[in-house]
Amino acid sequence: MAIVPVDVLSHAAIAFVYAGKLILLTIGLNMTYSVLKFSNFSHAEWVTWGMFSSWWLLQILAFLVPWDAEMGFIINNILIQATFAFFMVGILGILSEILVFGRLRDLKASARSFTVASIGIGLVVRNLLSMVFGDYPQPVSSPELPFGLEDILVINITLTNRDPILGTQSIILTSYKILIILISIITVLLIDYIFKHTKFGIAMRATSDSIDLAQVSGINTRQIIFITWFIAAGVTGFGAAFVRATQGRFGTMDGFSMLLPIFAVVILGGVGSFRGGIVSAFIISYAREISAIILTEFQKKPYGLQYVIEDLLGFTISLSPGYMDGVGFVVLILVLLFRPQGIFGSVEAIRARV
Amino acid sequence: MDKPVLRAHNVVSGYGKLQVINGVDLHVNEKELLTIIGPNGSGKTTLIRTLIGLVEMFEGQVFIREKEVSHMRPHEIIKAGIPLGYVPQLANVFPSLTIEENLKMGLFVKKWDEYYLKRIEEIFNLFPILGERISQRASLLSGGERQMLALARALMPNPEILILDEPTAALAPNLAEDMLQQVVTLKKTLGISIILVEQRAKRSMELSDRGIVLVTGRVAAEGPSNELLQEDTIRKLYLGVREKS
Ligand SMILES: Nc1ncnc2c1ncn2[C@@H]1O[C@H](COP(=O)(O)OP(=O)(O)OP(=O)(O)O)[C@@H](O)[C@H]1O
Ligand SMILES: [Mg+2]
């Protein structure tokens, strides 16, 4: 056996891609968190609905209109799918504002009420999706990439193969995995720019600071809130379509299972700091992956820590790599102990509640 | 008498079913400092917020510069180009915006980059401290500096009428006096009309042209400040002046 028993490179690549997904799916949550000032738990279902609308809804729509080769080409294009998901999830965001959150705001409800309501919305959407599509993840094909990117965007490097010292070290990244990273960083920079430097972005921040003062400055705050919902939800749907494209199957729990890491990224990076989200996504993602490697080693017979403990103490503590998500949170807690506003967050943003 | 810059007739307003203002008539003349005093909870804040559309008006009419603004939402009033500046009692700046962005917010409905350059020199002359800290976030300012920023923001669009809700509330006594003097100076140098809501009733009445005493959402007394200052009941009840025995 090689001295380095793990394919470090491939794990690094996996974590890299996971970070990209987190970045992409975090932007919308960061927006709602910082502008609307509450924890939107239905964000999970934005992700799920983004996946479903980008695939199934588009398939169904295409089925309803007369089918020809042209149509198949269009709906299998990732850009079409992602744009479609942008609008579909954006509409979901606006609907939840109209049906629920707008009314709560009129009643001057607390942020806690908003959060609880968002949990409710999430449950409703998730269960509706389950009713229609069933609970089990279904295999689907990857959409096509335009411009022949599929063949260009491939990284396949084998640094060492069964080397006596390094073992096997290799990276295989297919087009969507690379694309996720690129798209996520471009989207963050774009949203960050809008937020910081455009009049619209300043209006969003002003509205989040004080609705009254924003209104007497001439801002139609109702409109700003609607647009915030639409963009935050839309970007999440857009991202979800790309995340969907990296995985062979998807189901109604996919968004929910990523919710906690997504929250961790926002909080670690600092609420309101989109660039901070990039750094924290990498931190969380690598902490997760490294712990997965270590935990896997612990489970190896006969000298893994798990068996050492078993021999010494006579009972079994499972050290499953399934605990890797927990490790991300340990990192989160450790950082927050020293910087409660997150790595890049501003102090006033922690006044965002719940 | 000059034409009033702002006048309101029979204003009835409140929150939902709660009626707070019960039929108030009010006007401010050109280049006049009107002070509104009254006990806590008498509805001073509610009244001026009604004037600019932040509180729902159940009955009545409001005109600013002869244009009816009743039932308009605040951003509509500003977008209609009505020359109005407002400094609220609480939350008077945008804490997460920089000082520069805060000042620009006063010009939101205009081409703000262009106007900003035109206005900024005058504003920095009035409030030199702001010029030194232009790229800091407003949350880092002290209470007094915030109050200045709030005032500066309200002045950015060159308003003809300025509405101030207890600008001295968060200030130490000597700073409060400075602030009141500043208000008087603004009125004189800029030639604008000001509605001032104040807890420091006696002092602000001394500095102003006319006064209104608001009690439980009604005008209990109104008139030139020097006359109000002479009236015994008002001195006793609302100005906190103890009679010498
Ligand atoms: N947003 C609101 N919703 C419901 N009631 C309110 C609201 N704001 C104020 N009130 C009520 O309206 C009444 C008048 O309040 P307002 O703030 O106008 O008084 P004020 O004269 O400005 O008092 P202060 O001198 O303390 O600032 C009070 O009884 C208050 O409880
Ligand atoms: Mg008040």
Side-chain angles (χ1 to χ4, degrees), chain A residues 16-17 19-27 177-193 235 238-239 242 274-275 277-279 281-282:
Chain A
F16 203 67
V17 173
K21 294 185 190 179
L22 283 180
I23 295 168
L24 207 46
L25 298 180
T26 298
I27 303 166
K177 301 194 166 157
I178 300 171
L179 209 57
I180 283 254
I181 310 274
L182 295 178
I183 299 245
S184 66
I185 290 178
I186 291 170
T187 316
V188 167
L189 295 181
L190 184 73
I191 296 279
D192 185 69
Y193 180 83
V235 167
F238 186 83
F242 276 94
F274 294 101
R275 288 154 183 252
I278 299 182
V279 176
F282 277 105

Side-chain angles (χ1 to χ4, degrees), chain B:
Chain B
M1 204 176 91
D2 335 75
K3 247 202 245 145
V5 181
L6 178 149
R7 62 193 165 88
H9 299 294
N10 187 33
V11 172
V12 178
S13 72
Y15 308 92
K17 290 202 177 86
L18 175 71
Q19 187 171 315
V20 176
I21 301 300
N22 309 300
V24 166
D25 285 308
L26 163 157
H27 69 271
V28 204
N29 295 318
E30 235 167 73
K31 300 178 188 168
E32 186 179 55
L33 174 54
L34 170 73
T35 296
I36 303 178
I37 62 169
N40 290 118
S42 59
K44 305 179 295 293
T45 298
T46 306
L47 174 61
I48 57 174
R49 284 166 62 85
T50 309
L51 299 178
I52 56 175
L54 277 170
V55 172
E56 189 192 353
M57 185 158 71
F58 305 147
E59 270 176 57
Q61 285 175 302
V62 180
F63 297 87
I64 300 178
R65 278 265 166 240
E66 294 308 305
K67 179 165 169 43
E68 178 156 12
V69 296
S70 332
H71 309 297
M72 280 167 83
R73 290 176 55 204
H75 74 269
E76 294 167 339
I77 298 180
I78 302 298
K79 280 207 177 115
I82 284 163
L84 177 83
Y86 166 62
V87 178
Q89 180 172 0
L90 303 165
N92 52 9
V93 297
F94 298 103
S96 71
L97 269 54
T98 64
I99 291 176
E100 180 176 345
E101 286 166 342
N102 264 279
L103 292 173
K104 280 187 170 176
M105 284 305 294
L107 306 169
F108 186 80
V109 294
K110 302 196 160 101
K111 285 186 186 144
W112 69 12
D113 287 321
E114 193 183 315
Y115 273 83
Y116 181 77
L117 293 178
K118 279 188 200 158
R119 294 286 298 141
I120 198 65
E121 201 170 324
E122 184 177 326
I123 295 294
F124 284 165
N125 281 338
L126 286 167
F127 310 97
I129 180 95
L130 298 179
E132 297 158 19
R133 310 177 62 174
I134 196 73
S135 54
Q136 272 183 20
R137 283 175 189 246
S139 57
L140 299 175
L141 297 177
S142 73
E145 290 161 344
R146 269 181 211 217
Q147 201 56 256
M148 282 186 196
L149 176 59
L151 206 49
R153 190 208 70 248
L155 289 171
M156 282 301 277
N158 227 338
E160 290 172 35
I161 176 160
L162 193 60
I163 300 180
L164 308 175
D165 197 348
E166 297 196 22
T168 65
L171 305 182
N174 59 329
L175 286 180
E177 174 64 23
D178 289 351
M179 175 56 76
L180 289 178
Q181 294 293 347
Q182 173 91 280
V183 171
V184 175
T185 314
L186 286 178
K187 184 198 76 164
K188 285 186 187 140
T189 55
L190 303 178
I192 56 180
S193 314
I194 299 177
I195 299 180
L196 173 68
V197 170
E198 256 302 329
Q199 286 295 347
R200 293 164 204 268
K202 181 163 176 290
R203 185 69 190 123
S204 55
M205 214 40 107
E206 285 166 1
L207 294 170
S208 65
D209 303 307
R210 215 156 47 78
I212 286 181
V213 182
L214 197 70
V215 182
T216 58
R218 285 200 175 77
V219 177
E222 185 189 356
S225 308
N226 47 12
E227 284 175 26
L228 289 180
L229 283 165
Q230 299 305 314
E231 273 185 49
D232 276 350
T233 47
I234 291 176
R235 284 165 65 88
K236 254 192 249 163
L237 284 175
Y238 306 116
L239 297 176
V241 182
R242 255 168 259 131
E243 298 302 311
K244 286 171 213 137
S245 51

